[in-house]
Amino acid sequence: MQNNSSNNLIVDAFVADPGTRVEGRLPVASLPDGTPIRVPIVLINGKNPGKTLYIQAISDGNELNGIAVIHKVLSKINTDELNGQIIAVPVLNIHAFHAKQAYSPVDNLKMNRCFPGRADGTSSYRIAHQLFEKAIKQADYCIDLHQGGVSPMIDEVRVRVGEKHELHKECLELARVFGIGYILDQKGPKGQLAQAAPEIGIPTIDPELGGTHGWDKDSINKGVRGVKNVLKHYKFLDGDPEIPPQQIVVNRFESILSNQAGFVYYKKALYDHITPRDTIAEIRDVFGHVIETVRATEEGIFWSHPIYPMVASGGIIGKIGTPVSHI
């Protein structure tokens, strides 16, 4: 974290004195006609000193649950009761958000593959660079809110540094404290914030809050509880976090493939514990006849499946999180 001897919270031209909240829009880019692109940002500086939490949503433009999480959490923050500071960005990837898609229509990139960004890169890299340099570097902890696009998946938290990383233990602890019950502990693709921020000493997690069109109330509520858990555990707020006594951890995904093309009738639900030879689904042809029974080849948790119940031959009908351990 960058030290600020004045105890003011400063991001670019925005300054929040102790005990205040400041909202604004950070200029990060321009449209072809010169219209500025500005990222909304909220600075909350607690009356009492403490650490700094950075939280963002919409680095993928179609993953909306994180916005509602930020709205609900920030609406309950009282600066008189806050120990430390919060920097929140409800919508990061403005271009992708307006296009309702994961990739920016300007440079066809996922912003969560562009951190820590580059000042001389394409649009997504430049926006990531500005947020990383001006805001993220000030944090002691980072939460990068995601969801599984519109495809159904369980609510989980991802640790994206490898187990040999010097901050792996701290990131895994942050994931445990978030307390959603399911953790993917797997090194992620280069350019994810949950990789880039730990490289400069900031524990970071990547909660994946379900998958849906629009809002998903249950996933949002889990995300709100998770952020509040972090705020309470790390003493931003008084109170006890609601952390499950035991949580499931997996290290990889195993794809479930259908040999036959047709329509998928699932026999297992998300969150189900799967053992080898369990029937995952039946595949029926266009006339409704069962033409294949798809069985599990590994033990694990039924983690996700496509949104549409039809499949081509050799298509993926779901993913199992495996191997299962506990924390």
Side-chain angles (χ1 to χ4, degrees):
M1 175 185 173
Q2 296 175 348
N3 292 321
N4 185 354
S5 58
S6 70
N7 292 324
N8 290 336
L9 179 57
I10 304 172
V11 175
D12 200 48
F14 303 103
V15 180
D17 298 326
T20 67
R21 170 174 173 152
V22 173
E23 301 173 357
R25 296 179 184 271
L26 182 67
V28 294
S30 299
L31 294 175
D33 66 353
T35 301
I37 296 295
R38 302 182 298 165
V39 168
I41 192 165
V42 182
L43 310 183
I44 304 179
N45 195 352
K47 187 176 181 180
N48 309 305
K51 296 183 180 296
T52 300
L53 173 68
Y54 174 85
I55 180 169
Q56 70 175 29
I58 311 294
S59 65
D60 295 320
N62 61 346
E63 299 184 3
L64 305 180
N65 283 332
I67 302 175
V69 171
I70 290 177
H71 287 171
K72 288 177 178 290
V73 170
L74 296 191
S75 70
K76 301 297 184 181
I77 298 295
N78 184 336
T79 56
D80 290 340
E81 299 173 353
L82 179 65
N83 308 310
Q85 305 168 331
I86 299 173
I87 303 172
V89 176
V91 180
L92 174 61
N93 194 342
I94 299 293
H95 294 304
F97 172 70
H98 285 291
K100 299 181 177 65
Q101 62 189 36
Y103 290 76
S104 168
V106 175
D107 56 13
N108 200 35
L109 293 176
K110 283 174 67 78
M111 190 167 293
N112 201 32
R113 301 295 183 271
C114 297
F115 286 98
R118 293 204 320 264
D120 61 349
T122 62
S123 175
S124 296
Y125 280 100
R126 293 182 185 219
I127 294 172
H129 172 78
Q130 291 200 55
L131 267 296
F132 199 84
E133 293 296 320
K134 295 175 180 178
I136 295 167
K137 279 188 172 182
Q138 300 193 49
D140 294 287
Y141 307 98
C142 285
I143 299 175
D144 184 13
L145 296 168
H146 287 267
Q147 69 182 59
V150 299
S151 295
M153 66 178 293
I154 72 171
D155 301 295
E156 43 126 333
V157 182
R158 298 187 175 185
V159 173
R160 302 310 255 159
V161 296
E163 63 179 9
K164 295 182 180 180
H165 193 282
E166 62 181 1
L167 246 64
H168 176 261
K169 181 179 179 181
E170 289 81 357
C171 292
L172 188 59
E173 173 65 2
L174 183 57
R176 184 193 72 83
V177 166
F178 198 86
I180 213 165
Y182 296 83
I183 298 170
L184 172 68
D185 182 11
Q186 180 191 59
K187 186 176 181 179
K190 184 178 179 181
Q192 291 188 315
L193 179 59
Q195 271 199 17
E199 287 298 311
I200 61 169
I202 306 171
T204 303
I205 54 172
D206 175 352
E208 296 276 353
L209 303 174
T212 183
H213 285 284
W215 304 126
D216 182 273
K217 182 178 179 180
D218 289 342
S219 296
I220 290 166
N221 288 339
K222 290 180 183 180
V224 171
R225 185 176 67 239
V227 176
K228 288 182 177 179
N229 281 345
V230 169
L231 291 171
K232 291 175 181 178
H233 180 83
Y234 293 103
K235 307 305 181 185
F236 290 87
L237 296 174
D238 294 337
D240 297 322
E242 301 175 19
I243 302 173
Q246 188 177 73
Q247 301 185 59
I248 288 173
V249 180
V250 302
N251 302 115
R252 63 182 174 86
F253 294 139
E254 179 71 18
S255 294
I256 307 165
L257 302 180
S258 171
N259 293 315
Q260 300 295 324
F263 299 85
V264 186
Y265 286 78
Y266 289 101
K267 301 301 180 180
K268 293 291 184 178
L270 298 182
Y271 295 97
D272 280 355
H273 186 272
I274 306 295
T275 58
R277 301 299 299 164
D278 278 355
T279 297
I280 302 295
E282 291 178 346
I283 309 300
R284 296 176 180 262
D285 65 17
V286 72
F287 302 104
H289 304 301
V290 176
I291 55 176
E292 182 183 2
T293 299
V294 181
R295 301 184 185 276
T297 59
E298 294 195 44
E299 180 184 8
I301 305 297
F302 196 13
W303 210 268
S304 65
H305 61 70
I307 189 171
Y308 297 114
M310 66 280 285
V311 64
S313 56
I316 296 173
I317 66 166
K319 292 185 178 180
I320 293 175
T322 191
V324 175
S325 61
H326 297 88
I327 188 173

